[in-house]
Amino acid sequence: MTKDNIFYWLIINSKCFAFLIIISFKIILFNSSIHAQVDTTQLKLAVSQLQSIQDRNEFWQNLFERDQTFRNVKTSKINDLENLISATYYLNRFGYPSEDIKAGRAMPLVWVHASYPKVKQVAFPIILAGFQDDQISEKDIRTYYVRNMHWKIFFNEENRTKALNALFADLNLNVENKIDISDIISAFNESEEFLNQNFEIIGHWDNPKGDTTVKILKSEDGEYYYHDLYVDGSYYPVKVIKDKEYPNLYRNYYKPEFYFGVQPNGDLTVKNSFEKRTFKPIE
């Protein structure tokens, strides 16, 4: 190899090496930004030190205040995750708070405010334990705790009548007595990774009946999703199927009779089991 060739080889490979360093650095930054920065050791220690009834009451009062402080536009996914993990450590150690503990609504609320469906699936024993302890009614299970999750997948209200075991299985809910903290963190991280990919935006529309806008997205692996955009980021993209015959029509993955259709004028027609609505495009 001549000196000139060596010179060019060094230039080319040094650029490649620099490029790889930059890419690796970006990957590290990306992973550190999406992976949950939660000190589980301290959260576990705090729960293990709860001795008296007063200790436990103060624990739940503080948890409730942290939950309520960061809501709506102030919503913090990490705060909600820490609250959920703290409640899970409590559940795993003491069981569902007895009625003489002033947990109030804090225990089920931290589950309700979990950021992602996968996290709720893993942490469902929080709600199940309340139900088994007769502190959460079957009606509340059906019409409140799992209703939205069921609707966002199936677009029907079979959650009202289906046997609970079948309902829990349909929603892939964890029904074990205890929760693995690492499973919660893994579910959170997987959800963050999914949302941080480079989606192609098929369209963006205004929802005339709410405080949300909606998007249809195409993921990096070619899948399509319908996404309601709430100010607190509480709605997760729902998978839809692009119709083979009508290219501007996207059908619900589980209920193809429900669809999202992009009209020639840019409007979005949304058909579900209750109604057909029209959303106007956002320029």
Side-chain angles (χ1 to χ4, degrees):
M1 184 180 291
T2 66
K3 290 183 179 179
D4 288 342
N5 288 338
I6 293 173
F7 177 74
Y8 287 118
W9 183 89
L10 288 172
I11 291 176
I12 292 171
N13 283 277
S14 63
K15 287 181 178 179
C16 291
F17 183 66
F19 175 76
L20 289 173
I21 291 175
I22 292 170
I23 292 297
S24 299
F25 183 66
K26 286 184 176 180
I27 290 173
I28 291 170
L29 287 178
F30 176 73
N31 286 334
S32 64
S33 67
I34 62 174
H35 286 136
Q37 302 299 309
V38 177
D39 189 344
T40 56
T41 301
Q42 288 300 314
L43 297 178
K44 184 177 183 179
L45 179 63
V47 171
S48 69
Q49 292 176 339
L50 301 177
Q51 301 296 327
S52 65
I53 296 295
Q54 182 177 348
D55 290 342
R56 299 185 194 185
N57 286 339
E58 291 176 355
F59 169 83
W60 287 111
Q61 180 61 35
N62 291 334
L63 200 67
F64 180 76
E65 289 175 359
R66 290 202 306 271
D67 174 87
Q68 294 299 294
T69 298
F70 298 98
R71 297 269 58 88
N72 298 318
V73 296
K74 294 182 179 179
T75 295
S76 164
K77 290 186 288 187
I78 292 297
N79 181 72
D80 288 342
L81 180 63
E82 289 179 342
N83 290 343
L84 181 67
I85 290 173
S86 292
T88 299
Y89 276 129
Y90 188 101
L91 179 73
N92 287 346
R93 185 178 180 89
F94 301 111
Y96 200 84
S98 57
E99 293 184 356
D100 61 330
I101 303 295
K102 297 178 182 178
R105 297 167 55 214
M107 183 65 143
L109 269 182
V110 296
W111 183 86
V112 170
H113 292 151
S115 300
Y116 302 123
K118 283 186 177 181
V119 176
K120 288 185 176 181
Q121 288 170 335
V122 171
F124 187 68
I126 286 176
I127 303 302
L128 187 59
F131 171 65
Q132 293 170 339
D133 200 44
D134 294 326
Q135 295 193 53
I136 294 177
S137 69
E138 180 175 338
K139 180 181 177 181
D140 285 345
I141 289 269
R142 293 180 178 278
T143 62
Y144 179 61
Y145 291 108
V146 304
R147 178 183 178 275
N148 284 342
M149 185 183 292
H150 186 275
W151 173 260
K152 291 170 185 178
I153 297 174
F154 300 106
F155 277 71
N156 64 41
E157 293 202 339
E158 291 179 0
N159 56 290
R160 293 179 176 273
T161 56
K162 183 170 285 192
L164 284 182
N165 288 343
L167 181 60
F168 297 162
D170 284 349
L171 296 174
N172 196 28
L173 299 176
N174 178 17
V175 293
E176 299 295 329
N177 291 328
K178 293 191 175 182
I179 305 167
D180 190 325
I181 300 298
S182 65
D183 288 344
I184 291 179
I185 295 175
S186 293
F188 182 91
N189 289 336
E190 289 172 13
S191 301
E192 286 278 279
E193 289 177 19
F194 172 78
L195 288 179
N196 279 283
Q197 68 179 284
N198 292 318
F199 285 102
E200 176 186 344
I201 300 175
I202 304 300
H204 190 189
W205 298 268
D206 182 50
N207 183 349
K209 285 194 173 182
D211 58 352
T212 71
T213 64
V214 302
K215 288 181 180 180
I216 291 179
L217 307 170
K218 184 178 180 181
S219 67
E220 292 176 348
D221 59 1
E223 300 288 353
Y224 291 90
Y225 295 86
Y226 174 83
H227 193 196
D228 264 308
L229 301 167
Y230 287 84
V231 293
D232 62 356
S234 61
Y235 197 103
Y236 199 72
V238 175
K239 190 174 183 180
V240 293
I241 302 172
K242 188 172 185 179
D243 192 279
K244 294 181 180 179
E245 185 176 355
Y246 303 101
N248 291 323
L249 192 67
Y250 303 85
R251 298 188 180 277
N252 179 270
Y253 187 79
Y254 294 95
K255 293 287 183 179
E257 64 270 27
F258 304 147
Y259 60 80
F260 311 92
V262 182
Q263 304 302 320
N265 66 353
D267 290 354
L268 180 71
T269 299
V270 178
K271 170 69 169 63
N272 57 41
S273 59
F274 295 117
E275 61 186 346
K276 183 188 291 185
R277 291 188 286 161
T278 299
F279 296 177
K280 293 295 182 182
I282 295 176
E283 300 298 333

